[in-house]
Amino acid sequence: MVRPSGDDPDFTALDCIAATFGTITAWLGRDPAVLGDDWGYRERPLSGSEWPLEDVATRRRTAEDVLAGWYGLTSRQIVHDGPREVGRYLGERLGEGTPVIVFVDAFHLPYTAQYRQQHHCHRVVLRATADDGYEVVDRYRGSLHEGTLDSRTLLAAVSAPELADGHRGDPDWRHRTIVVTPLPGPVTAPAADRFRASIARTATAYAAGAGETGLLRRSARRLREAPEGFAAPTPVGMISISAWFGELASQRALNARFLRLAATVCGMPALHEAAVTADALARQWETIRNYFFLRIRKGAPAVIRTAEMLDDIADQEKSWNSRFLELLERP
């Protein structure tokens, strides 16, 4: 049974998936830094994608898989029949002290920039029930918030028809909840050999896809070859592509957190230096996102410039990754 207090460990992220799972992981007494154990890419073809980047996942494993592998946490996602069933389920879980992740349309959340402006699927954590409502914890850095939300507003956000639009091949996000359940017994921190093995495995896999045929460079090449075709994303495309850059910035920040933890556990100070580089990469991905959002409709030159920025950061990431293989080869 989870009963988070007002003195919760501080955790925020640049994407709502990491923010929700990381928040609950911290409440359960585990370090959410393990969510940063992966810095790879995998192909994920989507229907109706406008930019090649949309077909590339920013991590190889889901947050659920990572938490299950490191801590044995079980994530149970349920699609309920409707808002009444969601309300009943929330009452049961929150009543027993178990926080719940819910999928919502940010259009209905008064504290977000999308409120009554733009429909967008988002995730938040419900901490407990309140007078005719719920205590909401949102640690996504784009909409940081802790406060109450009345039941009518929350259930409208959970049930919004726009969540069923299926943009880019998404499923119907309505009436979905996730509960994360820990294994019984005391919390055991992962040992040094676990961190070393994880870094070696990730660095080896990343190196295999870091060449000219890798997903990131292939995407940049497609942008350069036909820039006019990518210079006018739709409003949905703008959201999706901006979110992609944000997720990558979020993952690099998590990578930095993971490497700092690994440096301490493994007694490898050089990993602290790698963490500093990961933080710098996170900021650079944010810069690319901002450039895309502000400039991309300026035409083909902006698309070409974005491709150049992608090639540049691909070079930096390749160099950054190579350091791990060198470090782990040392006795």
Side-chain angles (χ1 to χ4, degrees):
M1 188 175 294
V2 181
R3 295 192 181 279
S5 70
D7 298 321
D8 304 326
D10 182 32
F11 181 84
T12 62
L14 292 165
D15 73 280
C16 64
I17 297 175
T20 49
F21 279 109
T23 295
I24 290 181
T25 300
W27 287 350
L28 291 171
R30 279 78 169 172
D31 195 325
V34 299
L35 290 168
D37 77 342
D38 180 5
W39 47 86
Y41 302 98
R42 63 179 170 82
E43 200 158 15
R44 176 198 55 186
L46 301 177
S47 61
S49 57
E50 298 179 34
W51 268 46
L53 293 172
E54 294 181 85
D55 296 325
V56 178
T58 59
R59 52 179 71 89
R60 285 189 297 271
R61 293 182 296 149
T62 65
E64 293 94 325
D65 289 341
V66 171
L67 295 178
W70 280 89
Y71 297 132
L73 300 180
T74 300
S75 301
R76 186 186 182 201
Q77 184 172 149
I78 299 177
V79 181
H80 303 272
D81 290 335
R84 182 174 300 178
E85 288 72 22
V86 172
R88 183 181 302 116
Y89 182 78
L90 293 177
E92 293 170 356
R93 297 289 79 76
L94 297 175
E96 68 188 20
T98 300
V100 182
I101 298 171
V102 294
F103 294 72
V104 292
D105 184 352
F107 180 89
H108 295 274
L109 302 182
Y111 65 86
T112 68
Q114 291 83 22
Y115 182 54
R116 295 184 177 176
Q117 298 292 324
Q118 201 167 45
H119 295 281
H120 180 62
C121 185
H122 186 50
R123 303 186 190 194
V124 299
V125 178
L126 302 186
R127 185 204 303 266
T129 55
D131 291 340
D132 191 33
Y134 303 94
E135 293 184 16
V136 176
V137 177
D138 189 341
R139 289 186 175 160
Y140 163 59
R141 293 182 195 171
S143 56
L144 289 173
H145 177 77
E146 294 194 24
T148 60
L149 200 63
D150 66 271
S151 298
R152 179 175 295 183
T153 299
L154 187 280
L155 293 179
V158 168
S159 306
E162 290 78 10
L163 293 178
D165 283 348
H167 294 309
R168 304 299 190 269
D170 282 349
D172 183 342
W173 294 119
R174 292 175 300 173
H175 312 129
R176 288 182 184 247
T177 61
I178 300 176
V179 165
V180 180
T181 306
L183 291 172
V187 177
T188 302
D193 59 347
R194 180 72 187 278
F195 283 94
R196 291 179 67 94
S198 174
I199 293 171
R201 183 170 56 251
T202 298
T204 300
Y206 187 93
E212 290 303 313
T213 60
L215 294 174
L216 196 56
R217 294 190 186 275
R218 275 166 40 193
S219 297
R221 189 159 53 247
R222 285 184 59 193
L223 293 175
R224 285 197 308 273
E225 289 171 350
E228 296 83 1
F230 299 108
T234 66
V236 171
M238 290 291 292
I239 293 173
S240 180
I241 301 161
S242 294
W244 189 91
F245 287 122
E247 287 174 10
L248 207 12
S250 179
Q251 192 63 10
R252 293 295 171 268
L254 284 169
N255 297 150
R257 184 167 178 150
F258 174 78
L259 292 169
R260 285 192 290 270
L261 177 61
T264 300
V265 174
C266 299
M268 297 177 66
L271 291 179
H272 280 294
E273 299 174 13
V276 171
T277 301
D279 274 328
L281 289 169
R283 291 191 295 271
Q284 192 165 341
W285 278 114
E286 284 192 83
T287 297
I288 299 173
R289 179 185 64 174
N290 293 339
Y291 180 87
F292 166 82
F293 189 79
L294 296 173
R295 303 283 298 181
I296 205 60
R297 289 199 170 115
K298 298 293 184 180
V303 176
I304 293 172
R305 177 57 186 146
T306 303
E308 292 171 348
M309 295 168 79
L310 290 174
D311 276 329
D312 179 55
I313 201 168
D315 287 338
Q316 294 181 53
E317 288 193 349
K318 183 178 179 180
S319 175
W320 171 65
N321 184 74
S322 68
R323 297 176 197 170
F324 299 114
L325 299 176
E326 295 169 1
L327 283 172
L328 295 171
E329 288 175 355
R330 298 176 185 174

